[in-house]
Amino acid sequence: MLPDIKSLTREELERQFKTWNEPAYRVPQLLDWLYARRATGWDAMSNLPKSLREKLRENFSLHTLELARKQGAADTTQKFLWRLADGQFIETVLIPANPALYGEASDRHTLCLSTQVGCAYGCKFCASGLDGWKRNLEPHEIIEQVLAVERWKNAARGTGHEAQGQAAPSPKPTASRLVDNLVIMGMGEPLANYENLLKALKTLNAPWGGGIGARKITISTSGLAPQIRRLANEPMQFRLAISLHGATDAVRERIMPVNKKYPLTELVAACDDYQKLKGRMITLEFILIAGVNDALAQTRPLAVLANRLYAKVNLIPYNPVDGLPWQRPSEEVCEGFLAALEKLGVTATLRREKGGDIDAACGQLRLKTERELASTT
Ligand code: SAH
Ligand code: SF4
């Protein structure tokens, strides 16, 4: 199979064009087609000479994601299930910054990206890891999630009928930017696909690429301490979210096997390094699961960690997964947990939308679709 053009960095493209004896100004022209105009085929690239388009076609593929399924209405959270070239499925979630809170839809959007098909880390509560790990996403498959959602949105705007999914004839490059925040919280463990993720994020961050500021990109990890240290030494100022879900080893170990490999002391030491090099850029994610980690006894050790790392805490009531025994605690328990944390001087938020919302963690739509497919074949 040919490498995909969007998996190449700008420097790699420049080297390639040099060996082809193509003038340097052709590179920004190509980048404009790929990332500003989100072209889906070589033939559209009308200002590139035919001979160059042929060379590109012979040497590179230009894949786009195929929409397999979509959940959610316009102007609310929308979940996209994509089919990859090899038939695997991944999910991307589009979250409006302010879902019609004040009666008008917001133009700012956060996009939640997947980085792997499945996940090897097997957290006991998570749909993404239920069937294990299949493969890493290539850089272009990570980047395409942004481009495909923006293409889809433009088509919906252009025709007023999103189901048609037709591409607008010639989208205006900058006016049609939709996504201004990225959270790497979809399927997979991002730091276990480190090289491809970083390559993709460099393109998504670049002004000629996605144009999304590094401080508007949050990478969520289940706690891979060595990779957190590596990320701390990258020049880009990404935000880091740690999926903590337990403030003591005993509680964390029960639901997250990764805690055996990197227990809390090791994880927190790596976060310390990140905090020292990057400043106040860490969030601690804490899903509340009934009878597992929602006892008030967890709030004190959690506050100690949060205060030491200058981190804020996001409390997220668990979203039940078909076939798994875990439940979310009652509203009173969640509110009580939040109040106790705040009393200990921690900046914390509690996600309050009602149960079963599609806003919930990634992996569930894919799981459902794969199970449906398995039962029909
Ligand atoms: N692998 C990375 C990123 C993907 S998971 C990580 O674990 O951080 C993104 C977030 O969704 C994690 O905090 C994860 O613990 C959480 N999550 C997974 N399943 C969930 C569920 N059923 N309800 C609520 N949050 C869930
Ligand atoms: Fe993997 Fe994250 Fe799910 Fe754990 S919570 S199984 S690390 S995707």
Side-chain angles (χ1 to χ4, degrees):
M1 224 173 57
L2 299 174
D4 196 280
I5 192 81
K6 280 180 286 212
S7 282
L8 270 67
T9 60
R10 185 182 182 131
E11 293 70 33
E12 286 168 338
L13 279 177
E14 283 166 351
R15 275 200 295 276
Q16 179 66 73
F17 275 40
K18 215 173 199 168
T19 56
W20 283 345
N21 284 323
E22 292 286 346
Y25 67 85
R26 294 290 181 204
V27 172
Q29 284 179 330
L30 173 63
L31 295 172
D32 185 61
W33 283 109
L34 294 177
Y35 301 112
R37 294 179 186 275
R38 299 181 278 266
T40 55
W42 304 110
D43 292 333
M45 304 181 180
S46 48
N47 59 353
L48 300 185
K50 198 145 187 283
S51 59
L52 173 56
R53 275 186 268 154
E54 284 313 311
K55 266 188 268 185
L56 287 165
R57 194 195 313 272
E58 279 161 23
N59 290 280
F60 299 100
S61 56
L62 176 54
H63 279 298
T64 49
L65 297 174
E66 184 192 332
L67 185 61
R69 204 164 173 177
K70 195 181 81 70
Q71 275 185 349
D75 301 326
T76 63
T77 296
Q78 294 171 85
K79 207 175 225 187
F80 300 79
L81 185 75
W82 308 108
R83 192 180 292 109
L84 303 175
D86 62 352
Q88 302 283 355
F89 293 106
I90 53 162
E91 287 176 33
T92 307
V93 184
L94 180 67
I95 308 152
N98 198 348
L101 247 193
Y102 303 102
E104 61 181 323
S106 164
D107 252 9
R108 298 166 53 81
H109 289 80
T110 295
L111 197 66
C112 176
L113 302 185
S114 293
T115 53
Q116 300 183 309
V117 181
C119 181
Y121 284 81
C123 301
K124 301 281 200 307
F125 49 81
C126 176
S128 292
L130 268 186
D131 292 336
W133 175 87
K134 297 255 170 62
R135 67 172 176 90
N136 283 336
L137 294 189
E138 298 293 322
H140 71 94
E141 292 170 319
I142 300 172
I143 297 167
E144 249 304 301
Q145 293 173 64
V146 177
L147 302 180
V149 167
E150 293 195 328
R151 245 182 243 125
W152 171 87
K153 189 75 179 182
N154 275 338
R157 272 183 190 145
T159 61
H161 194 271
E162 64 196 49
Q164 290 176 0
Q166 294 162 345
S170 176
K172 277 200 203 83
T174 42
S176 56
R177 282 273 173 250
L178 171 74
V179 174
D180 39 28
N181 272 286
L182 288 180
V183 292
I184 317 301
M185 292 189 181
M187 200 194 310
E189 168 48 55
L191 297 188
N193 186 14
Y194 192 96
E195 309 282 347
N196 290 353
L197 174 71
L198 263 280
K199 220 172 172 189
L201 291 184
K202 275 177 196 156
T203 294
L204 288 169
N205 172 243
W208 48 263
I212 302 168
R215 287 163 181 274
K216 302 207 161 185
I217 299 176
T218 302
I219 301 173
S220 177
T221 176
S222 59
L224 275 54
Q227 283 89 331
I228 290 172
R229 288 213 167 83
R230 196 172 160 195
L231 194 65
N233 289 295
E234 297 284 348
M236 281 182 284
Q237 291 280 98
F238 299 122
R239 292 184 186 277
L240 184 66
I242 306 293
S243 294
L244 199 65
H245 311 333
T248 54
D249 282 320
V251 168
R252 198 164 190 266
E253 231 167 73
R254 204 179 140 194
I255 45 177
M256 300 183 73
V258 68
N259 198 72
K260 283 236 156 59
K261 198 161 182 197
Y262 306 115
L264 280 173
T265 41
E266 216 170 305
L267 171 58
V268 173
C271 291
D272 260 339
D273 286 356
Y274 199 88
Q275 197 281 323
K276 286 199 183 88
L277 284 158
K278 302 288 186 200
R280 296 176 184 227
M281 303 281 274
I282 298 181
T283 303
L284 301 177
E285 305 279 329
F286 205 94
I287 49 177
L288 289 164
I289 310 179
V292 173
N293 62 2
D294 60 342
L296 286 180
Q298 282 284 296
T299 55
R300 193 166 288 277
L302 179 53
V304 170
L305 294 181
N307 290 333
R308 165 170 166 186
L309 297 171
Y310 303 95
K312 67 171 197 255
V313 173
N314 270 349
L315 299 174
I316 304 152
Y318 179 62
N319 194 64
V321 174
D322 278 351
L324 295 181
W326 320 96
Q327 294 300 326
R328 64 168 56 183
S330 69
E331 256 176 73
E332 296 71 54
V333 169
C334 296
E335 297 288 349
F337 199 96
L338 172 69
L341 271 185
E342 286 175 333
K343 223 170 149 180
L344 292 164
V346 176
T347 307
T349 54
L350 170 64
R351 200 193 274 179
R352 288 191 174 89
E353 84 268 349
K354 301 294 176 205
D357 198 290
I358 63 146
D359 201 1
C362 258
Q364 298 187 25
L365 186 57
R366 164 177 171 263
L367 192 70
K368 199 166 125 194
T369 305
E370 298 225 317
R371 283 181 179 169
E372 283 169 11
L373 286 175
S375 68
T376 55
T377 49

